[in-house]
Amino acid sequence: SVEIKARPGSKRIEFTGETHLAGVAAVWPINEELDMESRMAIGILSKVLEQRIIDVFRENLGLTYSPQVQFVPFVEYPKYALIRSFIDCSPAEADRIAKMIGEISSKLAEEGIGEDELHGVINPMNTGFKQVLKTNEYLLDRVLKRAQSHPESMQEFLALNKEDVF
């Protein structure tokens, strides 16, 4: 079980450039070393959060077309990772969107993930992961490079049941 905590609140940073655009970034830090199973679970959590944000902002309100949520582990810092969200918007909507992201993530933390929602995220991820495992690029870029500095990661990779990743 991984504990993800972030102090509530927001900070507005303004930069005036040629175009009058804005974006809202949310970050949830993870300050512990994660095993393969935890990384996969947090990746799923990130996709569920992304889908909820898409449903609210793009589908229901028509406010933005490119909400993103990503799980970002740092190979160089094994005891640090984060979930980050970025939503482009107008400057006038930034504070409202920041508040709504907090509400959406709090609701997810309180209520958890439903069975249909879980399968809606896992099935495409599972298919994509199986396809990626078949390529040498994944093995060379991700697995072998990481194994140089973290030999234990090879054991985690070999332990994966490639027929049923999730």
Side-chain angles (χ1 to χ4, degrees), residues 20-91:
H20 199 58
L21 300 174
V24 174
V27 177
W28 296 269
I30 303 163
N31 294 308
E32 62 181 88
E33 194 160 352
L34 302 171
D35 59 15
M36 178 74 77
E37 186 177 314
S38 295
R39 288 192 301 270
M40 292 170 92
I42 294 169
I44 291 167
L45 174 65
S46 299
K47 286 298 173 192
V48 169
L49 180 58
E50 181 177 68
Q51 189 57 53
R52 287 191 184 191
I53 287 173
I54 286 171
D55 289 347
V56 170
F57 291 107
R58 187 170 69 193
E59 306 299 332
N60 297 343
L61 301 176
L63 291 176
T64 184
Y65 293 98
S66 60
Q68 302 170 11
V69 178
Q70 300 170 312
F71 167 55
V72 184
F74 294 94
V75 174
E76 301 84 9
Y77 306 101
K79 292 188 178 183
Y80 184 72
L82 57 88
I83 297 172
R84 72 174 167 218
S85 171
F86 183 80
I87 299 175
D88 60 339
C89 61
S90 72

Side-chain angles (χ1 to χ4, degrees), residues 4 40-52 83 104-122 125:
I4 303 173
M40 292 170 92
I42 294 169
I44 291 167
L45 174 65
S46 299
K47 286 298 173 192
V48 169
L49 180 58
E50 181 177 68
Q51 189 57 53
R52 287 191 184 191
I83 297 172
I104 293 166
S105 60
S106 292
K107 184 176 180 181
L108 177 58
E110 290 169 13
E111 296 178 3
I113 300 170
E115 193 72 26
D116 289 343
E117 189 174 38
L118 183 63
H119 289 293
V121 168
I122 286 178
M125 287 178 77

